[in-house]
Amino acid sequence: MKKIGLLFLLTTTFLFSQNSAQTCDILNKINAVIQTEHLRPKPVDDSLSVYVFDNLINELDPSRNIFYKTEYDEMAAKYRLNLDDLILENDCSFLNDITSKYIAGLKRTKEVLEKMQNVPFDYSKKDTIRFYKKTFPFYLKKEDVEKVWQKKIRYQILDDIAESSDNLDSIKANFKTIEEKSRKLILSNEICRISTLLETKTKQDENLYNFFCTYFDPHTAYFSDDSKSSFVASLSKEHLSLGMTVNLNEKNEIIVHEIDPNGPAYQTGQIKKGDQIISVSNNKETLQVSCSSLESISTMILSEANKSLTLTLKRNSGKNFDVYIEKQVMKDEENSVFSFIIGKESKIGYIKIPSFYADLDGNSRKGCADDVAREVIKLERDNIKGLVIDLIDNGGGSMEEAIKLAGMFVDYGPISIVIDHTQEKTVINDPFKGVIYRGPIVILVNSNTASASEFFSSIMQDYNRALLLGSNTLGKATMQTILSLDETKNTDFLKITINKFYRVTGKSHQYIGVTPDVVLPEFYEDVYQKESDFPTAIKNDSIAPFLKYKPYVKRSLIDKIAQKSSARLAGNYYFNDIKRINQKIDQLINTPKAELPMNLDAVFQQKKMVDSLWKEINTFNDENNPLDVYNSTVNQFLLGAYPNEKTINQYQMDQLKINPYLNEAVNIIVDFNSSK
């Protein structure tokens, strides 16, 4: 026995040292590339060590109920200021130490939860609970573990009970039955969640790599071969798909929402709208929906590496059944440009650009810019008198597509200045002589308009080629590229920030965003994460202007029309109500909360307040006369040839008819045309 034990000890130590060496090897390769190619490289020092350690621990134990305070203090003393030295010395054994303590914490937590399954809860005992928006210190003591988890589970049970009915008296009358069912479900889900974490033996290597990367800026990241494939696929409008969409219902169950009749899910003949997904398997591991994170479920479903999946489904209250599906390359309707015409008299074109997707093969002309050009040509055949380009919630994509698109609307001249890590300035010029469309343009933007879409918007604004309408954009004016960390293996990659863009004026929207000419509120604008919210975001600066360019119209015209729009909207009930509701959202999410009593009445009242706010948001609409939205002549013809497109086409039209931002964009274009 002693020989076997010694052999096992030597073997595991050897394996840990192998893993440690491999982890450090990748980290040092990442660092080597960053130090030579990154826009703003920083030294690997104590500051990096603190950032990486804090983020790694916060990722493992955000609620501070896994690690004891003594364990955290021990790890912090050993590693918080020393990770930089250890990494440079090729000693990454700290990750094994942290992971082993985490696994031990998960195991004892599971034991506590299993013990709680057999112990009734005392809901008459007075207690309170506090919610923190930001991270807070570690406090957990060995003797308090059961008490802390009892408090957490007790609140979850009360919250679940409060969700069971809108009638508090009915809940109280049936409390014992509801509580028993709720307690059993919540405890089993918590135990299952922890068991899943223990069984999958999730490695922390990728978390470590990514925290190391984001120390330099929020957009530098490590990619495995799989995550790189998925990222590249997200830049395309065609990718491997199951051919169905899912939604979360009020119980946080994943429900099949829509099935594409051209897709593999439909072709199985077994899946129907409304089916509940119980688990997802890729033949290597199975994730139970009830006890896995939505992120892990989403990753398994969307991963390009998982070319086939087995879904376990349930229909109504029937038995579970398995369906095997092989993914197919399909067009992503939600990631494709589309167009409509607004108004029979005004005839204003509308083009939605969901993202700046690209033709990554370089030979199929499936890129966003070419698709926009085709839609403009279709709309011009119907003699439109203006154009609205919708970039709301467009998170960016290919900068090459954004450059091509800007060139289609700007006649000639420089469109941007790029600076790299050597501080060398490169001028990007309009790649096309002439313009594809000469009429007035309004661009819709919001807080989620980012990166390539901000780049395009800022060019159009500086050239007075378009009036921007909406809320301040995200604030990303940097460009990334993907580099292999080892070209002989091609298994590990780095998405790295290499350039920063400046506007033709010498200014930059990095960190601060692009400010529209007409600023309008949007729901959640104080909640959306902006570039400036990232602690390692590259700060804003400017360079001395040196470019000459010819604006499309005088700035005074844009300003005059913007002022007219702002005056028109000053008393608009819709946008003023958004401001009022945003104050409630801010109060709910961003304002520090008082301690909440741990009783049914208090939890029910909290739930009632949140439900009331959600109802106010979800039922909120524009009571103005609906817009007249219809297809261009060419698109009407195409719908006849492709009838499967009619459902999504009708849905898109219905959404636009009640869009108040589009309503004001139409008014602005009418003002443009009347000012000639």
Side-chain angles (χ1 to χ4, degrees):
M1 285 293 293
K2 286 182 180 178
K3 286 184 179 179
I4 294 172
L6 181 62
L7 179 63
F8 175 75
L9 183 65
L10 288 170
T11 305
T12 51
T13 305
F14 176 65
L15 287 173
F16 273 9
S17 65
Q18 275 188 317
N19 292 339
S20 167
Q22 186 180 2
T23 301
C24 268
D25 181 52
I26 290 175
L27 280 173
N28 281 299
K29 283 177 179 176
I30 289 171
N31 186 45
V33 175
I34 285 175
Q35 296 303 328
T36 55
E37 302 294 336
H38 193 275
L39 176 68
R40 298 278 192 276
K42 293 184 277 190
V44 175
D45 56 16
D46 287 357
S47 178
L48 175 140
S49 184
V50 168
Y51 177 86
V52 172
F53 178 82
D54 287 352
N55 277 280
L56 193 58
I57 296 296
N58 288 338
E59 179 79 9
L60 294 174
D61 192 5
S63 300
R64 307 298 192 243
N65 51 24
I66 302 296
F67 290 123
Y68 291 150
K69 183 180 185 301
T70 52
E71 289 174 325
Y72 168 78
D73 289 343
E74 180 191 338
M75 290 187 292
K78 284 171 70 176
Y79 304 129
R80 194 164 184 260
L81 293 173
N82 296 321
L83 292 188
D84 55 321
D85 299 321
L86 292 169
I87 290 168
L88 293 175
E89 291 166 5
N90 281 312
D91 180 6
C92 288
S93 57
F94 63 84
L95 193 60
N96 294 319
D97 185 22
I98 292 170
T99 302
S100 64
K101 284 184 172 61
Y102 176 60
I103 290 171
L106 289 175
K107 286 179 178 177
R108 67 175 170 245
T109 300
K110 185 180 176 184
E111 288 175 9
V112 167
L113 291 168
E114 287 172 337
K115 183 180 174 183
M116 285 166 60
Q117 287 182 306
N118 305 311
V119 180
F121 280 72
D122 180 5
Y123 296 97
S124 64
K125 193 168 97 177
K126 288 189 176 181
D127 204 349
T128 59
I129 191 167
R130 183 184 290 275
F131 300 94
Y132 294 90
K133 188 172 186 291
K134 296 183 178 178
T135 55
F136 54 98
F138 282 82
Y139 67 93
L140 190 63
K141 295 178 182 176
K142 185 177 181 178
E143 59 269 24
D144 293 334
V145 174
E146 288 188 27
K147 181 176 147 188
V148 166
W149 274 97
Q150 275 185 339
K151 190 171 185 174
K152 175 182 166 69
I153 298 299
R154 178 180 163 183
Y155 172 77
Q156 287 183 6
I157 293 169
L158 287 171
D159 189 54
D160 189 58
I161 292 171
E163 290 285 346
S164 65
S165 172
D166 291 329
N167 188 321
L168 183 57
D169 291 334
S170 173
I171 293 174
K172 287 181 176 179
N174 299 283
F175 183 83
K176 186 177 179 182
T177 306
I178 300 170
E179 188 275 343
E180 188 177 343
K181 182 181 176 183
S182 180
R183 175 162 46 92
K184 184 179 178 181
L185 176 68
I186 284 166
L187 279 167
S188 63
N189 282 349
E190 280 286 355
I191 292 166
C192 182
R193 182 181 64 83
I194 290 173
S195 297
T196 301
L197 288 171
L198 287 167
E199 287 165 13
T200 53
K201 296 182 175 62
T202 305
K203 290 186 177 181
Q204 298 306 317
D205 302 55
E206 287 201 26
N207 280 335
L208 175 62
Y209 302 152
N210 275 312
F211 293 136
F212 186 95
C213 290
T214 56
Y215 172 73
F216 296 91
D217 82 284
H219 309 290
T220 293
Y222 165 82
F223 281 163
S224 63
D225 193 28
D226 183 20
S227 54
K228 179 209 168 202
S229 298
S230 297
F231 175 77
V232 170
S234 73
L235 298 178
S236 171
K237 70 172 180 181
E238 290 186 343
H239 52 80
L240 282 172
S241 171
L242 296 175
M244 67 183 201
T245 60
V246 297
N247 273 352
L248 283 178
N249 65 11
E250 66 279 359
K251 297 178 184 176
N252 272 341
E253 296 167 340
I254 299 179
I255 305 297
V256 176
H257 179 58
E258 295 288 349
I259 304 174
D260 190 323
N262 299 311
Y266 180 86
Q267 289 160 12
T268 65
Q270 297 176 265
I271 303 175
K272 292 185 179 180
K273 182 176 178 178
D275 286 351
Q276 179 188 348
I277 298 178
I278 304 299
S279 68
V280 185
S281 172
N282 62 358
N283 300 323
K284 293 179 182 175
E285 62 174 324
T286 299
L287 296 180
Q288 300 293 330
V289 171
S290 62
C291 57
S292 299
S293 69
L294 290 176
E295 183 183 9
S296 62
I297 297 283
S298 174
T299 299
M300 181 175 283
I301 291 174
L302 297 176
S303 172
E304 291 281 305
N306 295 327
K307 293 182 171 58
S308 62
L309 292 170
T310 298
L311 303 182
T312 301
L313 302 158
K314 183 161 80 171
R315 185 168 302 144
N316 300 324
S317 300
K319 293 182 179 179
N320 293 354
F321 60 97
D322 292 343
V323 181
Y324 174 79
I325 314 178
E326 291 187 0
K327 292 180 180 178
Q328 295 175 10
V329 175
M330 297 187 66
K331 179 182 176 184
D332 184 352
E333 295 291 353
E334 293 184 358
N335 200 26
S336 302
V337 166
F338 61 85
S339 71
F340 292 102
I341 298 177
I342 317 295
K344 300 294 183 186
E345 298 297 325
S346 54
K347 292 191 86 169
I348 291 163
Y350 168 89
I351 296 179
K352 174 67 176 178
I353 308 176
S355 76
F356 281 84
Y357 52 83
D359 167 22
L360 299 172
D361 296 326
N363 53 20
S364 61
R365 298 185 69 80
K366 291 177 181 175
C368 157
D370 285 330
D371 285 353
V372 171
R374 278 189 278 273
E375 296 306 315
V376 170
I377 291 167
K378 291 178 192 175
L379 294 170
E380 287 234 79
R381 289 187 65 172
D382 285 321
N383 299 313
I384 58 168
K385 297 179 175 65
L387 181 63
V388 178
I389 298 175
D390 189 346
L391 297 179
I392 287 176
D393 294 335
N394 182 322
S398 167
M399 291 300 298
E400 288 183 16
E401 291 297 317
I403 290 167
K404 284 169 65 177
L405 191 62
M408 291 177 184
F409 292 103
V410 172
D411 196 355
Y412 63 90
I415 57 175
S416 183
I417 306 152
V418 181
I419 291 183
D420 63 14
H421 67 284
T422 67
Q423 299 303 303
E424 182 179 342
K425 297 184 183 72
T426 303
V427 176
I428 299 177
N429 287 298
D430 178 355
F432 308 118
K433 181 76 174 171
V435 295
I436 194 171
Y437 175 73
R438 294 193 173 277
I441 299 173
V442 172
I443 296 177
L444 302 179
V445 296
N446 74 339
S447 299
N448 291 326
T449 301
S451 194
S453 53
E454 290 179 281
F455 173 84
F456 170 73
S457 301
S458 67
I459 295 165
M460 298 288 276
Q461 188 179 49
D462 287 339
Y463 267 85
N464 298 340
R465 184 63 191 92
L467 184 147
L468 271 56
L469 172 73
S471 48
N472 216 67
T473 64
L474 183 127
K476 179 178 179 289
T478 57
M479 186 179 86
Q480 290 70 41
T481 191
I482 299 176
L483 301 174
S484 175
L485 293 176
D486 188 340
E487 292 184 3
T488 59
K489 293 181 181 177
N490 244 22
T491 54
D492 301 283
F493 303 86
L494 183 66
K495 177 166 73 79
I496 179 171
T497 298
I498 56 169
N499 291 324
K500 183 176 178 184
F501 291 92
Y502 292 82
R503 300 166 70 149
V504 288
T505 59
K507 294 180 180 179
S508 171
H509 58 264
Q510 170 61 25
Y511 199 80
I512 60 174
V514 177
T515 303
D517 303 295
V518 177
V519 177
L520 291 177
E522 64 173 325
F523 280 129
Y524 313 114
E525 63 185 9
D526 296 322
V527 177
Y528 284 136
Q529 192 169 39
K530 298 289 192 75
E531 184 81 359
S532 55
D533 293 323
F534 293 104
T536 59
I538 293 170
K539 300 297 188 286
N540 182 264
D541 64 356
S542 59
I543 57 176
F546 64 91
L547 295 175
K548 291 183 179 180
Y549 61 99
K550 184 181 178 183
Y552 193 75
V553 297
K554 290 183 179 179
R555 187 68 213 174
S556 57
L557 175 61
I558 302 284
D559 291 341
K560 178 184 173 184
I561 291 172
Q563 287 164 11
K564 189 173 180 180
S565 171
S566 297
R568 180 167 50 237
L569 296 170
N572 183 285
Y573 83 93
Y574 181 91
F575 294 112
N576 287 335
D577 272 5
I578 288 181
K579 292 176 185 176
R580 177 182 58 78
I581 293 172
N582 275 342
Q583 288 177 345
K584 291 185 181 181
I585 296 171
D586 182 61
Q587 185 76 18
L588 181 68
I589 295 175
N590 294 325
T591 307
K593 305 290 184 301
E595 288 187 324
L596 180 74
M598 291 269 281
N599 59 62
L600 182 59
D601 290 89
V603 174
F604 185 85
Q605 286 305 315
Q606 182 196 50
K607 173 244 178 191
K608 197 172 177 181
M609 181 186 71
V610 173
D611 284 353
S612 173
L613 180 56
W614 274 113
K615 186 176 180 181
E616 194 170 4
I617 293 167
N618 292 330
T619 59
F620 191 71
N621 57 43
D622 188 4
E623 294 176 2
N624 290 334
N625 293 328
L627 291 165
D628 184 11
V629 182
Y630 56 98
N631 287 292
S632 65
T633 304
V634 175
N635 279 345
Q636 284 176 15
F637 172 79
L638 291 172
L639 280 173
Y642 301 99
N644 289 338
E645 307 282 332
K646 285 184 178 179
T647 302
I648 191 165
N649 179 268
Q650 187 62 50
Y651 173 79
Q652 291 164 344
M653 277 200 290
D654 291 343
Q655 294 300 303
L656 290 177
K657 286 176 182 177
I658 54 171
N659 185 322
Y661 301 91
L662 179 56
N663 202 326
E664 181 54 24
V666 169
N667 291 335
I668 287 170
I669 288 177
V670 171
D671 288 343
F672 263 117
N673 288 328
S674 63
S675 67
K676 290 179 180 177

